């Protein structure tokens, strides 16, 4: 990693996916520029903005004004905030609103919000008229570093997390760093778990840089933009190599097999657990499980836990408020994971910091006895 640059400026990460290629712009003032950026890239002059009730009062007017100034007429839909919004009920609302607004294939649907709004809106954009243009304006750290990039969209099912959805790449991502100033500390930390994830997958230098510079990242300014851009570049590289997760894209799931099971076990109740917190606990579990399988040193798991704890993230299942179901129920959720092939479990395991790999055919018996140990 480089030293922290002095002045925050807009950085561009290009995602070279052939006819689905797009830019991710990261920096200050991008909501004010959104209309101009969209108008210069897309032919349509109509849009539908989807946002949530926390983000709407903060940024919707500014986005509408920017679109209006660029000659783009926009409809809007404001949904409840939180993970439970990733549901069929709200998908229907968004699809109806987009159709009512006569958004055509060359027009666009804009997600203004965190990963919940991005995943839901991207799914709607992928299925209305069999696919309309899609612009991500991510407003949470998690959405800026992860969910707005790569084209995974979807909703949750009673059978588990993100089980219904499509791949639908955005045409543009506008990550306005200024908006992170209104994000709660808890949500900022949750997004940070996904930032740390990139270091733990295959960027040990980035992880070490985060250990040294996390306070500057939390404080804002250039270090934050640097961390967001590094994360987006890391994700873009993986997505370009394996857009539809036939192999190595599964690395981006580090910590998620356990994390998603915990989200399902807490009924997607954000008072108990949010996605990034589940990923934080899941990444520690993945490192501990790797040590238990004699793949990595227990010191690596301790180092990961130390850093995540230091920034204030939960690292243990016991930190989740309220009762958790037994290990067997967590296993049921894990068995519904999309990485399961022919009934065999796939986990992202590690040989050390920044040395993650995709492990097919992980014995369920090992996982259940590990879970029983961790959650007696
Ligand atoms: N598609 C992908 O590749 C991908 C990647 C990672 C996570 N995800 C999904 O993303 C979701 C989590 O996203 P999230 O952490 O952004 O959650 P979220 O969308 O629920 O946002 C977190 C909270 O912050 C609020 N908020 C967002 N931006 C704000 C701002 N600027 N100021 C004040 N409040 C703001 C929201 O209203 C919400 O209450 C999960 O559903 C997860 O599965 C998807
Ligand atoms: O983009 C990906 O690929 C990821 O796995 C990123 C994850 O951080 C994200 O939570 C994603 O939604 C998980 O996907 P899923 O396929 O496990 O539902
Ligand atoms: Zn995630």
């Amino acid at each position: 990693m480089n030293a922290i640059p002095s002045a925050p400026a807009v950085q561009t990460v290009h995602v070279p996916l052939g006819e689905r290629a797009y830019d991710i712009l990261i920096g200050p003032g991008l909501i004010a520029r959104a209309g101009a950026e969209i108008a210069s890239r897309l032919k349509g002059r109509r849009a539908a903005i989807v946002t949530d009730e926390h983000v709407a009062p903060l940024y919707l007017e500014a986005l509408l004004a920017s679109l209006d100034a660029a000659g783009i007429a926009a409809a809007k839909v404001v949904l409840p905030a939180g993970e439970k919004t990733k549901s069929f009920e709200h998908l229907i609302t968004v699809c109806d609103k987009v159709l009512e607004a006569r958004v055509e294939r060359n027009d666009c649907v804009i997600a203004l919000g965190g990963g919940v709004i991005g995943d839901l809106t991207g799914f709607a954009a992928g299925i209305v008229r069999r696919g309309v243009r899609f612009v991500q304006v991510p407003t949470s750290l998690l959405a800026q570093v992860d969910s707005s990039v790569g084209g995974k969209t979807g909703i949750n099912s009673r059978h588990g997390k993100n089980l219904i959805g499509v791949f639908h790449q955005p045409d543009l991502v506008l990550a306005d760093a200024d908006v992170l100033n209104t994000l709660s500390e808890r949500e900022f930390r949750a997004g940070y778990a996904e930032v740390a994830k990139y270091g733990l997958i295959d960027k040990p230098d980035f992880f070490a840089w985060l250990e040294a510079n996390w306070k500057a990242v939390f404080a804002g300014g250039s270090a934050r933009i640097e961390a967001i851009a590094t994360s987006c570049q890391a994700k873009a590289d993986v997505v370009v190599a394996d857009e539809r997760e036939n192999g190595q894209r599964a690395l981006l799931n580090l910590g998620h097999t356990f994390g998603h099971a915990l989200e399902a076990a807490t009924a997607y109740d954000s008072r108990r657990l949010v996605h990034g917190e589940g990923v934080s606990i899941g990444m520690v579990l993945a490192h501990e499980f790797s040590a238990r399988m004699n793949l990595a040193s227990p010191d690596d798991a301790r180092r990961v836990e130390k850093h995540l704890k230091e920034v204030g993230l939960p690292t243990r299942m016991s930190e989740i408020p309220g009762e958790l179901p037994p290990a067997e129920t967590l296993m049921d959720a894990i068995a519904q994971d999309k990485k399961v092939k022919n009934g065999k479990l796939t986990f992202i395991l590690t040989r050390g910091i920044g040395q993650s790999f995709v492990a097919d055919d992980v014995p369920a018996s090992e996982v259940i006895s590990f879970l029983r140990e961790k959650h007696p």
Side-chain angles (χ1 to χ4, degrees), residues 142 146 194 197 252 256 260 275 279:
L142 185 140
D146 193 347
E194 304 270 25
K197 176 184 80 176
L252 298 172
H256 284 63
H260 279 174
H275 177 74
V279 171

Side-chain angles (χ1 to χ4, degrees), residues 227-294:
I228 297 169
T230 303
S231 301
C232 288
Q233 186 65 62
K235 179 153 186 183
D237 290 346
V238 175
V239 168
V240 166
D242 177 22
E243 187 181 359
R244 289 186 164 242
E245 199 174 270
N246 293 314
Q248 294 302 295
R249 180 167 180 164
L251 289 170
L252 298 172
N253 244 239
L254 175 64
H256 284 63
T257 317
F258 292 120
H260 279 174
L262 293 171
E263 285 188 81
T266 51
Y268 308 106
D269 180 348
S270 57
R271 290 166 303 184
R272 297 182 66 194
L273 190 74
V274 295
H275 177 74
E277 293 169 342
V279 171
S280 173
I281 297 170
M283 290 194 300
V284 174
L285 288 171
H287 280 75
E288 289 182 338
F289 187 61
S290 301
R292 181 192 161 100
M293 303 285 281
N294 291 319

Side-chain angles (χ1 to χ4, degrees), residues 30-258:
L30 286 169
I31 288 190
R33 268 170 59 177
E37 296 293 347
I38 293 169
S40 71
R41 287 170 170 85
L42 303 184
K43 292 193 199 110
R45 289 295 172 265
R46 236 189 278 244
I49 304 172
V50 183
T51 187
D52 76 25
E53 63 199 4
H54 294 162
V55 175
L58 296 167
Y59 305 112
L60 182 55
E61 283 312 314
L63 180 57
L64 282 165
S66 163
L67 293 170
D68 186 51
I72 299 172
K76 59 193 182 198
V77 49
V78 182
L79 301 173
E83 187 68 33
K84 290 190 172 137
T85 294
K86 277 173 59 171
S87 67
F88 271 119
E89 181 200 342
H90 294 294
L91 179 70
I92 292 168
T93 306
V94 175
C95 291
D96 278 345
K97 194 73 192 181
V98 172
L99 289 168
E100 192 186 304
R102 302 280 164 92
V103 168
E104 299 170 1
R105 281 180 169 169
N106 279 331
D107 295 322
C108 71
V109 176
I110 304 175
L112 173 71
V116 165
I117 289 298
D119 281 11
L120 174 75
T121 307
F123 188 14
I127 57 178
V128 167
R129 301 191 205 282
R130 298 204 185 91
V132 298
R133 304 291 192 151
F134 175 40
V135 174
Q136 288 264 22
V137 184
T139 61
S140 68
L141 178 64
L142 185 140
Q144 296 195 352
V145 300
D146 193 347
S147 62
S148 62
V149 178
K152 274 190 181 176
T153 76
I155 57 174
N156 303 323
S157 142
R158 68 187 171 84
H159 295 285
K161 177 92 180 170
N162 297 340
L163 290 182
I164 300 157
V166 296
F167 285 96
H168 187 60
Q169 298 291 346
D171 293 278
L172 175 66
V173 180
L174 296 170
D176 187 330
D178 292 339
V179 306
L180 299 180
N181 295 331
T182 55
L183 195 62
S184 71
E185 269 189 41
R186 181 183 177 205
E187 293 294 355
F188 190 89
R189 281 195 295 264
Y192 183 87
E194 304 270 25
V195 175
K197 176 184 80 176
Y198 297 110
L200 295 174
I201 291 173
D202 61 358
K203 296 196 167 25
D205 292 352
F206 183 48
F207 189 71
W209 184 85
L210 290 171
E211 287 177 309
N213 293 291
W214 69 269
K215 285 188 181 151
V217 174
F218 275 64
S222 320
R224 182 182 285 176
I225 291 176
E226 192 65 17
I228 297 169
T230 303
S231 301
C232 288
Q233 186 65 62
K235 179 153 186 183
D237 290 346
V238 175
V239 168
V240 166
D242 177 22
E243 187 181 359
R244 289 186 164 242
E245 199 174 270
N246 293 314
Q248 294 302 295
R249 180 167 180 164
L251 289 170
L252 298 172
N253 244 239
L254 175 64
H256 284 63
T257 317
F258 292 120

